[in-house]
Amino acid sequence: MNSATLAVATLLCLAAPCAGAFEAQESVRVSAWSSSRKLDDEKGLIPVQVWLRSSGTLPLGNTRVSLHGEAWVERQLNGTSAHSDGRVKEAYAQLSAGPLEVRGGWQIFAWGRADGINPTDNLTPRQLTFLTRDTEDQRFGLPALSATWFSDRLSVTLIWLPGFESTVLPLPAVGPVREDVKPPGDSRQWAARVERVLGTIEGSISYFDGHDILPTQVIFAHAVTPRALVLHERVRVFGGDVAKTVGRFGLRAEAAYLEPPEARRGAIFAKRPQWYVVAGGDRTFGEYFNVNLQYYYRYVDGAAVPPGITAPEQSLGNAFAVTAQQYDRIDHGITFKISDQWLNETLEASLSGLFSLMRRGYLVRPVIKYRATDAWTVSLGGEILSGDNRSLYGFLHDNTTMYAELRWGF
Amino acid sequence: MRRYIELMLRFRWLVTVMTIAITVILASRIGQLRVEIDPNRFLPQSHPYVVASDRLEHIFGSRYVLVVGITALKGSIYDPAILGKVDRITRQMREVPGVVKGNILSFAARKAKSITGTDEGMEVRPLMSEVPANPAQMEDLRRRVVSNPAYRDILVSGDERSVAVLVEFKDDPRGFQSIMGRVKPIIDAERDPSVRIATGGLPVMLGTMEVYSQRMAFLLPIAMVLIAVVLWFAFRSVQGLALPMLTAILAVLWSLGIMSLFRVPLDVFNATTPVLILAVASGHAVQILKRYYEEFELQSAVTPNNLREANRRAVVESLTRVGPVMLVAGSVAALGFLSLMIFEIASVRTFGILAACGILSALVLELSLIPAMRSAMRPPRSGRRKQGPGMLERAMAVLAGVVTGPRAAWVVLAAVAVVVASALGATRLRYAESLKEWFFDSLPVIQDDNHLNRSFAGTNTFYVLVESKTPGRMQDPDVLRAIDAMQKHLQKNSEVGRSLSIADFVRRMNMAMHGDDPSYDTVPADRNLTAQYLFLYSNSGDPGDFDTYVDYDYRHASIRAFLKEHDTYKLQHLVAELKTYVSKNFPSDVTVSFGGSVAQGTAIFEIVGRAKLLNMLQVAAVFFVLASIVFRSMLAGILVLVPLAVTVAFNFGLMGWTGIPYNINNSITAAMAVGIGADYVIYLLFRLREEHAANASPADAMRRTLVTAGSAIVFVAGAVAAGYSVLLLSIGFWNHIWMGILISTAMITSAAAAVTVVPVLVSWLRPAFIYRGTKAPIPAASPAAIVVALCGALFCGDTRAADLPTAEQVMQQNFLVDKVVGSHSKVTNILRNKDGQERVRESTTTTRLEDNGADTQRIVRFYAPADVNGTSILLIEHSKSDDDIWIYLPALKKVRRLVASNKRDSFAGTDFSYGDVIGYAVDDWRHTLVGEDTLNGEPCFLVESVPTSQIVKETSGYSKRRNCISKSRYTTLRTEVWDTEGQLLKEEAYSNFQNVDPAHGKWVAMRSTARNVQTGHTTEVVFKDYSIDPSVSAALFTTRTLEFGS
């Protein structure tokens, strides 16, 4: 909380002297949630959040310096109890000189042209337990230094990530004692991406060598104490994506190969290499009615849970594999989003989701938003998770929640 | 469609190579096309007559009976030389492949026995085991023949001058021509001056029909030449002749290849179908070609120095506009033909599939190979464009005046008169289904057949099948007597020459056993006696002697009647009368049915009579539904049916008045005519709608429609009629000639009705699918208005007209006046719905004009309201293709490529469309300076602009724009736009003009409003801090700047 508040205060201070050159967007969000996203059986949560996003550019001759910051603070009420939270999502400075752009600070890297699920999006984490209407708001940045060189049609980006923080996963309160094993401080991460834009077809190829933002729970087989280690395996991810519009259709595809070279052998669960491919597209009918449909396919190379372990270990291993989405060697399914707008773009409804054809697990997100005025928006929505217990969404079934939100933007 | 055609042109060599490859593959399959010559394909298989015929064939043998008649030119047949011929023919026939050996009937056949009573009982011996060598033996033969009346008029004529050999054949996949080919040498060998040898029966007729059907081998090329002649007269260019012919020929090859590929057999009855495909394919090609030349005229006027580019654009434009219509018209025709698949007759089904394949092939070719080739060919000679309208176009223009003028009623009256006259003619319709009637009477086969029918009982067979479930029932006296009585009843009919059944033989046996006493020429009343006779017969006869009359366990019996004529109409009455007779005279446990070649003809006739009506209704319903869907109007469906109804009426009337019989072949002509004729109205209505959308005057729209699409319809009808008229050359074969007459006249009738009756009805009914949103016809000018107009003309008419810029010049200036090299501005969009609810969007916009001077790059960055703050859009326009659009959404943290919006879509949620913001290419619209006005004290030109093509209309979403253009600045002061349905859509107003670039005379309205009059929604756009920036960098318009803007 303190660091977050400090970050916000810093941003505000930064923004104040150059207000003329800065744009700021603030919002206050009051919402009511039927349950938490932490698998902790908490019901009736009322978070009150204040968001701030500020950015601006200061021209310095032929060079431009841009600053950007984004943070939120939250006070969450739950019956008689309450707690506070906050986070700096991004806070960085960018130097643009000719074709070169260098950016330093806390940054979010959102890679991948597919919609909703991005196999190449492995650099920066999300707080999946955070109660917010827009899942993209769950992202938060990591300290990083990035440099991008632009030509007419190509851009090349190099990223160095000195720090690490993993995605915040909802983990059941019951189960073995967990011990978070932080990656060693000297293990740096880096990534590179070559991107082609402005042609009839655009796309990128990328590489990431760093720690898996999705934590892996392991228990070493035949361990004396049943202590689960929450590991952040070193991974190498080779990825690529492509997008093209064909008439009224927008087509996108994305693929990545993830390789954990140092996965702990001997554990009851060890992350395996995997292929992850998403392909599909969208089309807008009329002015607003948009239909987006994608197919995903994930192939895990080998069994993540080794044979020859005891039955309880097997069960635990399976549970860990489900969390890491490596229980099935092959998982495939569809993602969809249908959205439309009415009443002078004030009423918007969407239904999005993911359906695993392998395990019949699914996630469905209905949302209705009404912009009463340009400043006030009311939203009703939900997140319904269900399916086979061996699917991630069946496992997260208890996180099914409904919400109502009132947002004031200024 | 446009993109598709451009794709075809871009890859034209690939398209050509692929078409050649497909053609080679499909053409190579034609050799494997199975051609079935089975007359069953012509038969309705579920008809009781056909079922009975099949059962008769199954129980008693083949139905294809060849009659060989030998007539002594001098003396009687009881001559060793003549009977020697009978003997040799009989013996040689046994060796012919396909002959049912046991069923040959002649004096020399083993089956033909004489039955004689002796003291010991009954003597049954072959009628003629060897040719009598002396007069005594000859007299003995004659006596035995006479004493066995069963053979009278069947094997020997009443005057004893003709003798017959009856040979039955099995089905032969090689056809009847093959059968006759094997029989002919045997018969020809016996011909000499002493005799006349004639052949008759179904195999002869079917074999002859095969021969005449093969005439298509030379009729088809003649048809192609005739169609080519029509095309030459229509276009007077090699291209105009060659490409439609290429389409037509390839369509024929493709359709035959597809038939082979899907193992759909062909039959001889479909020999004329390629002519239909040829005609229809060239018909569609003519429509496209006609439009191509129209477009080429327009395009070559735009780029007179680059005719190749004009040619390319003409190809694209013509197909963009006519292609969809052709798809609709062709699909409707193809579906109409495909609907014949429910027809019960296999041959008709084949016809439907073949015709549909041909039409669809033509569509594919016209949308792939032909544009590819046309774009690669040299453009038409420019001199051609200078030619004035042809005679036909002038006639069509006159016709347009008639159909939209006061004399239109006469057109309808004439059509009604034709229909009434046709209806009267239809009452004289002669129903007949006789193969014999398909040939000229002068043909040797018909002469032979007539001769045989005069000499013998008849060459046409009619069978009565008597059945019981009880074995031995056919030996029972009640059944035998009923059969015998029925034969007598039958023979009272003048059509029936003779009949033969087991009862004849039982009677003969009974009489023989009673010393040839004529009083015993009856069926015995005692069943046991009959059984004993048959037992006695079997002692000396052969076991198979009665196989043609009864089956082995006496549950089935046949009566074989020989008819002199093949008149289905008379047979229908005969069968109806026989059914009544049977119900009264046969035991109730015995069923009686009818079959044989004559009955099958009747079955065809009955099916045709019944199913044809259903088929016509079905095809009409298909057209009605499809046309109603396509035009979204049931009235359109009715209009499509009007010429078809006139055509069908005329078709029937013509048959009635001329005596052309109504048979299956001729009945199909109506379906064919309907299938082709539906295209005409569809082309016409589409063009009329297009013209109307582009021209407010109904009379002008009609004139242009008739001069363009109407002329093409007449050419198409001329081509089809010419193609089919070659069948008139098929001398000797009425079937071809009737088809030639009926199809040709049907095409002409259909086209005439389409260009006369339909336009009149459209003018009268003013259907909404064409005239939607138009004003009522402009009433005649009042005297006061005429005075005002005259005064205006007198005082400022000519001189002012000379000073005025043209509408195109005004719009060109208008298009350029606000095109600035680069700009920065702040924009406030205020959106209000009809209830006054308001949303305000504020953005900064930076623009840069691309080097082509037409396309603009722009970055729009929204900063209010809060929920869209930071959202940025990069829009790179491409006037020749879809725009590129990217959006940066702060929440997503990434740039996302968006699907290019249609120009008609709302720009950023405002009431201005993308097209309104970007501007409209002057060449895409036809502009008319309709007057001058003053708006807020500022004089302006009133310019009406209509899209030059359907595609521009669809892309822009507007059927018309009316702009008030400032005379001093050429800026738009006010715009009214009409939607594609012709309804007023929006009113836009522009004000607060700022001279943003005095050096180049650039003006921009700082305030614009748009009101959607249909929804009540309004948008107000206000520019602030507008500045010109000639140095705005192209590098700014990349996705990298979306996040932080410029």
Side-chain angles (χ1 to χ4, degrees), chain B residues 91 118 121 340 352 439 465 471 506 562 579 600 629 666 712 730 780 785 830 885 906 927-928 972 979:
Chain B
R91 278 193 284 110
T118 64
L340 294 175
F439 305 98
L465 174 64
V506 171
F562 295 86
K579 282 179 179 170
Q600 284 170 349
I629 290 170
N666 294 338
S730 189
I830 305 161
I885 306 173
S906 160
H927 309 282
T928 312
T972 306
D979 64 15

Side-chain angles (χ1 to χ4, degrees), chain A residues 70 112 115 344-345 371 374, chain B residues 840-841 893-894 896 1017:
Chain A
E70 190 173 352
D115 290 295
N344 192 21
E345 297 184 2
R371 295 182 188 89
D374 280 344
Chain B
V840 178
R841 290 177 175 177
K893 307 287 178 199
K894 57 185 170 186
R896 182 179 159 87
H1017 195 271

Side-chain angles (χ1 to χ4, degrees), chain A residues 14 18 22 54-58 65-69 92-94, chain B residues 1044:
Chain A
L14 183 65
C18 347
F22 272 73
S54 179
S55 60
T57 301
L58 302 170
V65 176
S66 303
L67 297 172
H68 175 82
Y92 63 82
Q94 177 181 301
Chain B
F1044 285 103

Side-chain angles (χ1 to χ4, degrees), chain B residues 823-894:
Chain B
S823 73
H824 304 286
S825 60
K826 286 186 175 175
V827 183
T828 304
N829 295 331
I830 305 161
L831 316 177
R832 294 186 192 92
N833 67 12
K834 64 180 181 201
D835 301 321
Q837 194 179 18
E838 193 173 280
R839 298 200 75 202
V840 178
R841 290 177 175 177
E842 293 180 77
S843 62
T844 56
T845 299
T846 303
T847 68
R848 176 182 173 273
L849 191 64
E850 287 192 49
D851 296 340
N852 64 9
D855 297 330
T856 300
Q857 302 172 334
R858 69 186 73 221
I859 281 192
V860 181
R861 185 173 172 79
F862 290 91
Y863 56 87
D867 62 346
V868 296
N869 187 350
T871 301
S872 303
I873 296 172
L874 169 63
L875 174 67
I876 296 181
E877 297 166 14
H878 301 295
S879 46
K880 300 291 181 191
S881 59
D882 286 337
D883 302 335
D884 287 323
I885 306 173
W886 290 266
I887 189 166
Y888 173 78
L889 295 166
L892 290 180
K893 307 287 178 199
K894 57 185 170 186

Side-chain angles (χ1 to χ4, degrees), chain B residues 433-448:
Chain B
E433 194 57 69
S434 166
L435 276 180
K436 202 170 148 183
E437 264 202 82
W438 288 18
F439 305 98
F440 278 25
D441 282 345
S442 57
L443 290 183
V445 284
I446 302 301
Q447 296 284 326
D448 274 7

Side-chain angles (χ1 to χ4, degrees), chain B residues 326-338:
Chain B
M326 186 180 72
L327 277 174
V328 170
S331 304
V332 168
L335 282 173
F337 283 120
L338 276 178

Side-chain angles (χ1 to χ4, degrees), chain B residues 635-905:
Chain B
L635 185 55
I638 293 168
L639 285 173
V640 167
L641 292 186
V642 167
L644 305 185
V646 173
T647 306
V648 171
F650 185 81
N651 189 275
F652 281 86
L654 187 66
M655 281 193 268
W657 285 115
T658 58
I660 296 173
Y662 180 73
N663 59 25
I664 183 165
N665 220 52
N666 294 338
S667 69
I668 290 173
T669 59
M672 290 165 81
V674 164
I676 305 167
D679 295 357
Y680 298 165
V681 189
I682 291 170
Y683 275 112
L684 192 90
L685 292 180
F686 263 109
R687 186 62 190 247
L688 190 58
R689 191 162 77 166
E690 183 187 332
E691 289 298 334
H692 186 267
N695 192 330
S697 159
D700 275 357
M702 186 63 77
R703 184 183 53 75
R704 285 186 57 80
T705 299
L706 285 179
V707 167
T708 54
S711 298
I713 287 169
V714 174
F715 282 135
V716 171
V720 178
Y724 265 93
S725 67
V726 299
L727 295 177
L728 298 175
L729 300 174
S730 189
I731 303 298
F733 195 40
W734 282 119
N735 190 26
H736 279 169
I737 293 171
W738 291 332
M739 188 173 267
I741 293 170
L742 293 173
I743 294 278
S744 300
T745 52
M747 287 302 92
I748 292 163
T749 316
S750 182
V755 298
T756 56
V757 181
V758 171
V760 172
L761 293 178
V762 167
S763 297
W764 285 359
L765 300 172
R766 299 180 66 76
F769 71 92
I770 292 173
Y771 292 93
R772 188 171 293 141
T774 57
K775 296 169 185 169
I778 299 165
S782 65
I786 291 168
V787 170
V788 170
L790 278 174
C791 290
L794 278 173
F795 289 105
C796 48
D798 289 342
T799 51
R800 196 171 57 167
D803 295 340
L804 285 177
T806 65
E808 283 73 20
Q809 287 170 334
V810 171
M811 294 312 290
Q812 190 64 41
Q813 292 279 354
N814 173 257
F815 181 73
L816 296 172
V817 72
D818 59 357
K819 295 277 180 196
V820 294
V821 181
S823 73
H824 304 286
S825 60
K826 286 186 175 175
V827 183
T828 304
N829 295 331
I830 305 161
L831 316 177
R832 294 186 192 92
N833 67 12
K834 64 180 181 201
D835 301 321
Q837 194 179 18
E838 193 173 280
R839 298 200 75 202
V840 178
R841 290 177 175 177
E842 293 180 77
S843 62
T844 56
T845 299
T846 303
T847 68
R848 176 182 173 273
L849 191 64
E850 287 192 49
D851 296 340
N852 64 9
D855 297 330
T856 300
Q857 302 172 334
R858 69 186 73 221
I859 281 192
V860 181
R861 185 173 172 79
F862 290 91
Y863 56 87
D867 62 346
V868 296
N869 187 350
T871 301
S872 303
I873 296 172
L874 169 63
L875 174 67
I876 296 181
E877 297 166 14
H878 301 295
S879 46
K880 300 291 181 191
S881 59
D882 286 337
D883 302 335
D884 287 323
I885 306 173
W886 290 266
I887 189 166
Y888 173 78
L889 295 166
L892 290 180
K893 307 287 178 199
K894 57 185 170 186
V895 174
R896 182 179 159 87
R897 189 187 192 105
L898 290 185
V899 171
S901 293
N902 198 311
K903 300 284 191 292
R904 64 190 294 170
D905 287 351

